[in-house]
Amino acid sequence: MEFVRLSLCPAALLCAWLLLGSSWGLGPPGVGAAYVLDDAGGLGREFDGIGAISGGGATSRLLVNYQEPYRSQILDYLFKPNFGASLHILKVEIGGDGQSTDGTEPSHMHYENDENYFRGYEWWLMKEAKKRNPQIKLIGLPWTFPSWIGKGEDWPYDYPHVTVYYIISWILGAKQYHDLDIDYIGIWNERAFNSKYIKVLRQSLDKLGLSNIGIIAADGDWNISKEMVVDPYLNDAVQLLRYTLDKNGLQKVRIIASDRLWEPISFVMLIDSELHEVVDVIGAHYPGTKTVPNALLTQKKLWASEDYSTFNDEVGAGCWARILNQNYVNGNMTSTIAWNLVASYYEELPFGRCGLMTAQEPWSGYYKVEAPIWITAHTTQFTQPGWSYLQVDGHLEGGGSFVALTDGLGNLTIIIETMTHNHSKCIRPPLPHFRVSPQRATFYLRGSFYFLETLQVWYSKLGFESANSSLFEQLHPVKVWRGSFALDLDVDEVYTLTTLKTGRKCSCPEPPPPQPFPSNYKDDFDIRNPPFSEAPNFADQTGVFEYFVNGSDPGDHVFTLRQVVIQRPITWVSDADQTISIIGNFQWVNLTVTCDIYIEKPIDGGVFIAGRVDNGGIYVRRTKGVFFWVYADGTYRVTSDLAGEEILMKGLSGVRHNAWHTLTLNIQGTSASGLLNGYPLWENVTISQPSHGWAAIGTRSFEFAQFDNFHVEAR
């Protein structure tokens, strides 16, 4: 059934109000519009769920270091049904050893003959999500790939069977070692897709009995739809006409399928029918709530497979509220997935606090349930994947939008948002101007919904000027009389009206207060069976630093931290040429960093310790700081940049590979000095910039090296 919009005259509204009374939801009549919700003529597209992304990259890095009960509380707010965000989908990065926005995530196969399905924390996170919601959908997507995939080239598609083997190994490892069933797999985040690779991936999945795993392509823009478009009706019509002409002896008559431009019709009739068959979901990133005609012509599921990516204050919540509705209303997208799940990385890295909630202080236990969590709940707590949208134009006459969904069993959920332009800007794309005004909306329920008597009401009001928001509050139910009810809507509001009575706004005890990173921090890495492969609070920005058991060492360095990526990965952004892992407080000015180091690469191997490190993430190549380097050839350098080009001092150190040495870096005001094995090696180096930053460790190149007994003391 097509949507019918009714404009009621004031007299009719007055009569309706007199009949219905002035109970909540039916105030005095005012200017407004009416909207019909009807399932009698069939339903709209199937709803696929709301989700969020862990990764792209290392966005959950600090979450794993939280102590209980705080870590479980955070996970409950994200995944537990009818508790907080109650997410339907978790999408994770398939770690590829490369920088993917705010750090690197380790691969399950650093090298071709290497497999380890316990690296990183995404396995753990998926299990925790499944523990809370067994029905949650799981998606894997690579941002980067280990070097061996490309056999020396910065490209994963030259050897599609190799890449497919790598990806399917991850899927099989998830099941074998963690009992996780992956529901969807992606291609390559926001990079070029390759039709041959996608087809080989589908064929290989099917051969292994994994035909239930859907393929999402291409996690970028809508361009893949150009290659997928097949219009069977148009094709059939042209073929029928050709057959009829031939049968009547008119073989010489040529068919002109378009009397204007050739390109549109050629696109529609045939591009790549095989690609069309193997792709299950067309996923676009940051679509601005709009799709394109070719995507609609494919008749495939359309998703905003990455969206939001906005600072998680009230404006971020307004952005999220608007796109959750309008991605369907404007673009027919049946799933929206937020980047990112939880801002659990150092805030000064790129896109700080662009998560649905914030958990970036495992050392204190502090976290914050941000407004986007409760905006999410307006949809997720009252719908499930498999529900269907009603066929209705969801634009409100006074601005804003609504969607209506049903489970087909009599339940109905309506989500309304009235976000204003300046209070709902997402980070991308630019938002065209629009106006939203206070308005009355009258809803007429038809079909199976006509006999509903009450709807539960959940309400949020984002308070920008007052800085006093109301978030996910349960109000008195609204009465439905003869299939209709009305609401007076103000700006920057979200309403959920539903037949479901299961909604809950749960809360845990308040977490501890926020605290800065400890000013005196030590880690000797002496842990025999670590729960995770990475040491707490270290955030790898190029390379991967893992716990290592040094069986050949007879002394104090059996358990160490080792940099293990020895070839530059297939990159997503411009990784540095050096490896680096940061730690600490970005505001540190005066500090002493001490660490035992072990160079494994002879001749041109090298390592560093550093302070006042000012960059990371996608900007890691431009990182500045104070870097104290020692090399296997017996020299040292002090530089003000990670690239090692801005040399402040250099000389001989006597350091060699395959031997342990202790480096100490002191930074005080505008002066720095360095010690080797407790003895001064250089001093009185003048430091101008940067004025503050993290501590760090790293290597000269992609090479094996070990670190032990790390200690930083800030003053």
Side-chain angles (χ1 to χ4, degrees):
M1 173 183 175
E2 292 187 0
F3 168 71
V4 178
R5 177 172 286 178
L6 302 176
S7 296
L8 299 183
C9 66
L13 284 172
L14 178 60
C15 290
W17 178 70
L18 291 173
L19 287 169
L20 296 173
S22 57
S23 60
W24 190 93
L26 288 170
V31 177
Y35 312 91
V36 176
L37 304 181
D38 192 350
D39 61 351
L43 300 174
R45 289 186 174 233
E46 183 178 301
F47 174 66
D48 293 308
I50 305 302
I53 301 170
S54 171
T59 53
S60 305
R61 175 66 194 91
L62 298 176
L63 174 61
V64 297
N65 305 142
Y66 271 81
Q67 299 298 307
E68 296 295 348
Y70 312 117
R71 189 172 70 179
S72 288
Q73 292 170 2
I74 296 165
L75 294 167
D76 286 347
Y77 279 118
L78 294 169
F79 301 119
K80 191 173 181 179
N82 300 313
F83 190 94
S86 306
L87 291 168
H88 303 137
I89 298 169
L90 172 61
K91 181 177 180 178
V92 303
E93 177 178 351
I94 300 174
D97 295 338
Q99 173 61 244
S100 52
T101 298
D102 290 299
T104 66
E105 297 206 19
S107 171
H108 59 289
M109 298 178 73
H110 293 317
Y111 331 110
E112 191 169 3
N113 59 352
D114 162 65
E115 290 185 69
N116 185 325
Y117 297 95
F118 295 91
R119 292 190 183 116
Y121 38 85
E122 304 295 4
W123 314 104
W124 165 83
L125 186 61
M126 288 190 284
K127 287 190 289 187
E128 292 294 326
K130 278 284 189 181
K131 184 190 303 181
R132 288 161 174 80
N133 177 9
Q135 304 306 313
I136 197 167
K137 301 294 184 182
L138 300 177
I139 303 173
L141 175 66
W143 268 250
T144 70
F145 299 85
S147 175
W148 63 269
I149 296 290
K151 298 187 178 181
E153 299 296 325
D154 194 29
W155 192 246
Y157 298 139
D158 286 343
Y159 306 93
H161 288 87
V162 173
T163 308
V164 165
Y165 166 73
Y166 171 78
I167 293 297
I168 290 183
S169 295
W170 183 87
I171 295 170
L172 295 175
K175 181 62 176 177
Q176 180 177 349
Y177 296 99
H178 303 285
D179 197 25
L180 292 169
D181 293 304
I182 304 302
D183 296 285
Y184 292 93
I185 201 74
I187 307 304
W188 187 13
N189 183 72
E190 294 176 354
R191 294 296 179 263
F193 65 90
N194 179 277
S195 297
K196 181 179 180 180
Y197 167 72
I198 296 172
K199 295 169 189 176
V200 172
L201 177 61
R202 178 73 276 162
Q203 293 163 3
S204 301
L205 288 169
D206 293 347
K207 286 179 181 178
L208 290 167
L210 301 173
S211 56
N212 58 304
I213 296 178
I215 293 178
I216 302 173
D219 280 299
D221 56 24
W222 295 110
N223 281 340
I224 193 171
S225 63
K226 294 179 182 178
E227 294 195 24
M228 290 175 56
V229 169
V230 177
D231 190 333
Y233 304 106
L234 182 58
N235 251 338
D236 289 349
V238 173
Q239 293 301 320
L240 179 61
L241 178 57
R242 178 75 272 160
Y243 172 81
T244 305
L245 290 168
D246 292 349
K247 188 176 181 181
N248 288 279
L250 300 173
Q251 292 91 343
K252 293 183 179 181
V253 177
R254 300 180 66 188
I255 299 171
I256 301 175
S258 175
D259 61 359
R260 298 185 69 190
L261 298 175
W262 65 267
E263 185 177 25
I265 196 71
S266 63
F267 255 149
V268 171
M269 288 186 60
L270 178 62
I271 301 295
D272 190 334
S273 58
E274 189 178 352
L275 182 62
H276 182 276
E277 290 301 315
V278 301
V279 172
D280 300 277
V281 176
I282 301 179
H285 288 193
Y286 308 97
T289 76
K290 303 293 176 61
T291 187
V292 297
N294 279 332
L296 294 169
L297 285 171
T298 66
Q299 301 182 35
K300 294 289 186 178
K301 292 177 178 291
L302 308 179
W303 289 7
S305 54
E306 182 177 320
D307 216 334
Y308 177 64
S309 186
T310 301
F311 191 80
N312 58 20
D313 59 5
E314 277 71 13
V315 173
C319 152
W320 188 229
R322 178 175 56 79
I323 63 178
L324 281 177
N325 269 16
Q326 294 190 24
N327 275 345
Y328 182 76
V329 171
N330 297 333
N332 288 282
M333 287 167 270
T334 55
S335 176
T336 298
I337 302 176
W339 188 88
N340 58 70
L341 174 72
V342 53
S344 202
Y345 47 99
Y346 291 113
E347 186 171 337
E348 296 82 5
L349 287 168
F351 308 105
R353 277 187 55 188
C354 285
L356 297 181
M357 65 181 291
T358 303
Q360 58 193 22
E361 290 190 17
W363 49 87
S364 72
Y366 175 76
Y367 63 86
K368 186 176 181 183
V369 183
E370 309 282 4
I373 287 287
W374 303 117
I375 295 301
T376 310
H378 272 282
T379 298
T380 54
Q381 289 205 21
F382 309 105
T383 59
Q384 286 298 324
W387 283 41
S388 295
Y389 287 96
L390 298 190
Q391 297 185 74
V392 59
D393 179 349
H395 296 97
L396 292 171
E397 190 169 287
S401 66
F402 71 92
V403 292
L405 301 98
T406 181
D407 63 354
L409 302 174
N411 284 309
L412 174 68
T413 291
I414 307 163
I415 305 111
I416 304 167
E417 61 81 22
T418 58
M419 295 300 120
T420 53
H421 179 272
N422 290 346
H423 292 164
S424 65
K425 290 182 178 178
C426 301
I427 195 170
R428 65 181 75 86
L431 183 62
H433 184 72
F434 61 86
R435 293 183 62 84
V436 179
S437 304
Q439 59 193 296
R440 163 160 291 191
T442 302
F443 290 89
Y444 289 86
L445 308 185
R446 297 292 182 260
S448 67
F449 311 123
Y450 178 77
F451 295 103
L452 293 177
E453 297 180 353
T454 60
L455 292 170
Q456 306 301 310
V457 181
W458 292 82
Y459 171 76
S460 291
K461 170 75 172 182
L462 298 177
F464 296 92
E465 283 74 23
S466 66
N468 186 22
S469 295
S470 299
L471 295 172
F472 200 59
E473 295 183 354
Q474 186 170 18
L475 304 182
H476 293 296
V478 62
K479 296 179 180 178
V480 181
W481 190 79
R482 293 187 179 177
S484 68
F485 66 94
L487 290 175
D488 287 323
L489 305 173
D490 201 352
V491 299
D492 297 325
E493 293 182 331
V494 181
Y495 280 93
T496 299
L497 300 105
T498 180
T499 55
L500 299 181
K501 297 181 180 180
T502 52
R504 290 166 58 204
K505 183 178 183 179
C506 294
S507 61
C508 300
E510 283 293 311
Q515 296 288 338
F517 193 93
S519 58
N520 192 337
Y521 183 83
K522 297 180 180 180
D523 195 336
D524 60 12
F525 312 118
D526 287 350
I527 180 167
R528 185 173 296 275
N529 295 302
F532 298 99
S533 60
E534 298 159 299
N537 304 318
F538 280 91
D540 303 345
Q541 300 302 307
T542 298
V544 172
F545 294 73
E546 296 180 348
Y547 283 118
F548 180 66
V549 179
N550 190 355
S552 63
D553 189 287
D556 299 329
H557 300 290
V558 175
F559 300 102
T560 66
L561 192 69
R562 192 189 198 201
Q563 201 295 120
V564 295
V565 179
I566 57 174
Q567 289 180 301
R568 185 178 183 83
I570 296 173
T571 57
W572 186 71
V573 293
S574 295
D575 293 38
D577 297 321
Q578 306 76 24
T579 73
I580 179 173
S581 187
I582 62 172
I583 189 170
N585 187 338
F586 187 71
Q587 304 305 322
W588 278 344
V589 176
N590 300 319
L591 67 158
T592 299
V593 182
T594 300
C595 191
D596 297 341
I597 59 93
Y598 186 90
I599 302 171
E600 298 188 46
K601 185 179 182 182
I603 304 173
D604 60 351
V607 302
F608 70 80
I609 62 173
R612 294 190 187 176
V613 174
D614 73 345
N615 245 318
I618 56 176
Y619 309 118
V620 66
R621 285 188 73 88
R622 67 177 72 164
T623 298
K624 306 291 185 181
V626 182
F627 294 84
F628 177 14
W629 306 79
V630 291
Y631 305 111
D633 65 1
T635 64
Y636 78 89
R637 285 186 180 182
V638 183
T639 70
S640 60
D641 64 332
L642 175 61
E645 297 173 350
E646 300 173 9
I647 301 172
L648 304 176
M649 182 172 282
K650 63 181 180 178
L652 298 175
S653 67
V655 168
R656 293 290 185 266
H657 75 287
N658 289 343
W660 282 98
H661 303 276
T662 301
L663 303 184
T664 301
L665 171 65
N666 291 310
I667 306 174
Q668 182 73 32
T670 59
S671 180
S673 60
L675 284 74
L676 174 63
N677 298 325
Y679 295 95
L681 180 64
W682 54 272
E683 58 187 0
N684 299 325
V685 170
T686 301
I687 306 300
S688 56
Q689 292 292 331
S691 59
H692 55 84
W694 297 290
I697 58 175
T699 64
R700 182 182 197 175
S701 63
F702 289 97
E703 61 185 273
F704 287 127
Q706 295 178 55
F707 303 84
D708 202 0
N709 298 317
F710 177 85
H711 181 201
V712 58
E713 185 174 6
R715 298 175 295 280

